[in-house]
Amino acid sequence: MDLFEKTRTFTRAKEAIEMGVYPYFQPLSDSEGTMAIFKGHEVVMIGSNNYLGLTTHPKVRQAAIDAIEKFGTSCTGSRFLNGTLEFHLELDRRLAKFVGKEAALVFSTGYQTNVGTISALVQKGDFVIIDKDDHASIVDGCMLSRGEMRRFNHNDPDSLDKALSRIPEDAGKLVVVDGVYSMGGDIAPLPTLVEICKRYGARIMVDDAHSLGVLADGRGTAAHFGLTDEVDLIMGTFSKSFASIGGFIAGSEQAIHYIQHNARSLLFSASLPAPQAAAVLAALDVIESEPEHVQRLWDNAEYMRAGLHRLGYDTGPSQTPVIPLMIRDEYRTVLAWHALVEEGVYTNPVVPPGVPANSSLLRTSYMATHTKDQLDIALRGLEVVGHNLDLIPQTTSLETA
Ligand code: PMP
């Protein structure tokens, strides 16, 4: 049997391309944050993770330019050897302080942070227990670990309790949840989860990719609930609010020291380039000194949530600036995505296996830097497409309450 047989019979994406409905891997040009050019159309971008819009903030841009002038474009080595710059150490310190932990460690991507941290900590005989909606990088970290993975129902504390009750009392246990879920935009019920973990002697790690820069003046989910000391590990990415790429894990000095010497995705991969690290440091400066960005993000998100509800969209469990539009049908989701592009609105179509069957959605997410005019263009496009494709009741309108 030829190993490549699967590549010959993989035709699903090609069929969609031939039908002219394939929405993925499509290039954007001239993207400056809130507006982008897509297939020659100007579109309002409501499909990014650039929550605070800092990728184009003058201080962030300048910090990256200055770093590239001084250090060039790559560290050409891992943090373990020649790839640690003062920038990385400063970033470790600043991030630990920002999230309220003793220590932090910067990785080259958020994906590598989850994979490296989980696989280093969870060893043979240990258990890792994850929410069914956790990000793929958490699942991959579990699969790379030598321990056993268990899953509990999304945001369901009773299901976590049951999963933990079935694990031998003396086994090492790590529970991993997202702080804000990337598709549903809902927040993990951390107070109850922490209480359950304590009862079973389990450690808890929170992936704050979509919560940093968003919850608690940008400090994330543990800070939002006043549980910074109760959460063992806080993970973050730089590819969202921090306007860069990279990731970090924060916790006790002892835990971080161990991860630093055991996370293979850190030890055997080149470190974050200087301009990317400098951009994060500048983004942190901006977040700490200009709290209005987080406030504007929430104002814009609530403006859109109100408009979407007025139109009759089902926004699922969202409580944050990530607002899914539940279409629940794969084909109609892709059709709606195309129709919205025609109306000048860029969203993200999410279909199985990204979400369970019958949960297809258009992921929308908002930015601090969107203007009201841009948000109104988006709402008008969503009104037209919603009515044309019967995604919302025909009787709704933005004009009537
Ligand atoms: N965790 C979550 C919840 C994410 O949404 C993402 C990225 N979408 C990651 C981890 C991985 O982050 P990165 O893009 O920095 O690799």
Side-chain angles (χ1 to χ4, degrees), residues 310-311 387 392-398 400:
R310 211 175 309 137
L311 288 174
H387 287 149
I392 52 175
Q394 293 299 331
T395 47
T396 61
S397 147
L398 286 168
T400 54

Side-chain angles (χ1 to χ4, degrees), residues 32-292:
E32 271 289 289
T34 57
M35 299 296 294
I37 304 291
F38 183 65
K39 295 190 171 172
H41 287 271
E42 192 168 53
V43 287
V44 179
M45 173 53 68
I46 55 168
S48 90
N49 297 303
N50 190 5
Y51 300 119
L52 299 179
L54 297 184
T55 56
T56 51
H57 191 289
K59 288 183 190 158
V60 177
R61 223 196 267 259
Q62 194 56 49
I65 292 168
D66 292 347
I68 218 166
E69 297 285 1
K70 187 149 179 232
F71 292 99
T73 53
S74 171
C75 292
T76 69
S78 117
R79 287 199 58 175
F80 185 44
L81 299 168
N82 61 306
T84 290
L85 301 173
E86 276 300 332
F87 271 134
H88 298 113
L89 300 183
E90 191 184 345
L91 205 45
D92 291 346
R93 285 192 293 268
R94 284 284 302 275
L95 288 162
K97 193 154 171 261
F98 185 69
V99 299
K101 287 292 180 194
E102 275 176 12
L105 181 65
V106 168
F107 286 66
S108 300
T109 67
Y111 182 93
Q112 285 171 279
T113 310
N114 276 334
V115 164
T117 299
I118 297 169
S119 60
L121 284 169
V122 180
Q123 308 240 308
K124 202 164 182 332
D126 295 332
F127 288 78
V128 55
I129 307 98
I130 67 172
D131 184 291
K132 279 190 177 155
D133 283 8
D134 272 356
H135 189 258
S137 53
I138 294 173
V139 178
D140 293 359
C142 297
M143 293 201 296
L144 263 185
S145 84
R146 309 237 163 135
E148 251 185 72
M149 174 170 70
R150 299 280 165 85
R151 303 177 91 167
F152 65 96
N153 293 335
H154 174 56
N155 268 356
D156 181 347
D158 289 341
S159 176
L160 171 64
D161 195 322
K162 206 173 285 169
L164 284 168
S165 73
R166 293 185 180 139
I167 295 172
E169 240 175 79
D170 57 350
K173 299 177 263 300
L174 177 69
V175 171
V176 190
V177 294
D178 288 9
V180 167
Y181 284 84
S182 57
M183 296 302 151
D186 45 344
I187 304 173
L190 215 46
T192 326
L193 301 182
V194 163
E195 185 269 308
I196 295 169
C197 287
K198 278 203 188 309
R199 196 145 34 85
Y200 286 95
R203 297 288 185 171
I204 182 161
M205 166 172 164
V206 177
D207 176 334
D208 255 352
H210 300 275
S211 340
L212 291 169
V214 177
L215 297 180
D217 292 332
R219 283 163 210 274
T221 316
H224 172 73
F225 287 111
L227 289 171
T228 301
D229 293 341
E230 268 66 46
V231 167
D232 296 289
L233 294 167
I234 296 175
M235 176 272 176
T237 63
F238 305 149
S239 57
K240 279 101 186 158
S241 294
F242 289 151
S244 185
I245 187 167
F248 75 94
I249 190 79
S252 67
E253 289 270 11
Q254 191 177 295
I256 298 306
H257 179 78
Y258 172 86
I259 294 165
Q260 182 173 353
H261 293 90
N262 289 276
R264 293 165 65 87
S265 63
L266 178 91
L267 297 169
F268 300 110
S269 188
S271 64
L272 193 67
Q276 302 312 129
V280 182
L281 283 169
L284 273 170
D285 286 341
V286 172
I287 293 169
E288 286 178 331
S289 62
E290 301 173 15
E292 61 270 24

Side-chain angles (χ1 to χ4, degrees), residues 46 301-315 322-325 364-366 378-379 382-383 392-393 396 398:
I46 55 168
E302 293 314 325
Y303 181 77
M304 287 303 291
R305 198 185 316 279
L308 291 166
H309 287 167
R310 211 175 309 137
L311 288 174
Y313 274 102
D314 172 0
T315 58
V322 173
I323 308 184
L325 308 178
T364 74
S365 49
Y366 300 95
L379 281 173
L382 285 157
E383 181 177 23
I392 52 175
T396 61
L398 286 168

Side-chain angles (χ1 to χ4, degrees), residues 38-39 41-44 335-347 385:
F38 183 65
K39 295 190 171 172
H41 287 271
E42 192 168 53
V43 287
V44 179
L335 275 189
W337 178 81
H338 278 283
L340 281 166
V341 167
E342 294 296 319
E343 295 295 324
V345 187
Y346 188 99
T347 60
V385 171

